[in-house]
Amino acid sequence: MHELTEEALVAASVDITWREFTVAGRLSEWFWPPRFETTAVVELRELGRWEVRSVPVDMAVEGTVLTFEAPRALRLGWRWAGEEHTTDVEIELQSAADAATRVIVRHSGFATSEERDNHIDGWSSCLQRLVDRHGGAPGEHL
């Protein structure tokens, strides 16, 4: 199986960054580009739903909360709508200098390197939107 790790430095506290991933209204504001008209559902409980959906683009992640340790770690079963294969996403938040947060995304369980590579691009642009949302300068994405 193939895996990836992507990181970003977000100019917001761990608590604020945690809410960006766990409050549906906040998640939908940045996770995908605005033209996607993103909606989200977050049920922060074991086996709760963690879903991000775009009707205009006709795509969705239908995730399941596997574990969480507020406000530091979130583990999701990750499945694209219409697909059967589930991968594993771990999101870790670490305190960094100047009240910033280091976001570390580990995504594993890809069947092919091509599938993993497609997700590298996706996570990179996603995390850059989170950096930008909090006033980060270009290049702060690690």
Side-chain angles (χ1 to χ4, degrees):
M1 290 286 169
H2 301 273
E3 61 185 54
L4 67 84
T5 301
E6 285 291 311
E7 298 185 18
L9 189 61
V10 177
S13 70
V14 167
D15 288 332
I16 288 170
T17 306
W18 174 255
R19 288 192 296 272
E20 296 288 14
F21 285 97
T22 60
V23 174
R26 293 178 76 110
L27 181 64
S28 66
E29 291 175 351
W30 65 270
F31 195 77
W32 284 334
R35 70 181 184 280
F36 283 31
E37 300 176 20
T38 306
T39 60
V41 174
V42 177
E43 298 171 346
L44 193 58
R45 60 179 168 76
E46 190 173 321
L47 300 181
R49 292 187 314 163
W50 190 96
E51 297 180 359
V52 182
R53 189 169 302 277
S54 170
V55 171
V57 185
D58 191 29
M59 72 179 200
V61 171
E62 297 174 338
T64 302
V65 176
L66 301 176
T67 60
F68 67 94
E69 295 177 37
R72 302 270 176 202
L74 177 64
R75 185 169 164 242
L76 306 167
W78 181 278
R79 184 173 63 84
W80 290 99
E83 295 184 4
E84 297 206 13
H85 181 70
T86 300
T87 55
D88 192 86
V89 171
E90 295 178 55
I91 300 166
E92 181 182 352
L93 306 179
Q94 299 176 348
S95 297
D98 299 323
T101 300
R102 180 175 308 282
V103 179
I104 304 166
V105 175
R106 295 178 187 91
H107 196 156
S108 60
F110 298 110
T112 66
S113 59
E114 181 181 16
E115 182 184 7
R116 179 207 51 218
D117 292 349
N118 289 338
H119 283 78
I120 289 172
D121 292 340
W123 278 114
S124 179
S125 61
C126 176
L127 292 176
Q128 186 61 55
R129 280 188 296 280
L130 183 59
V131 167
D132 294 346
R133 178 173 168 87
H134 290 281
E140 286 188 346
H141 177 77
L142 302 177

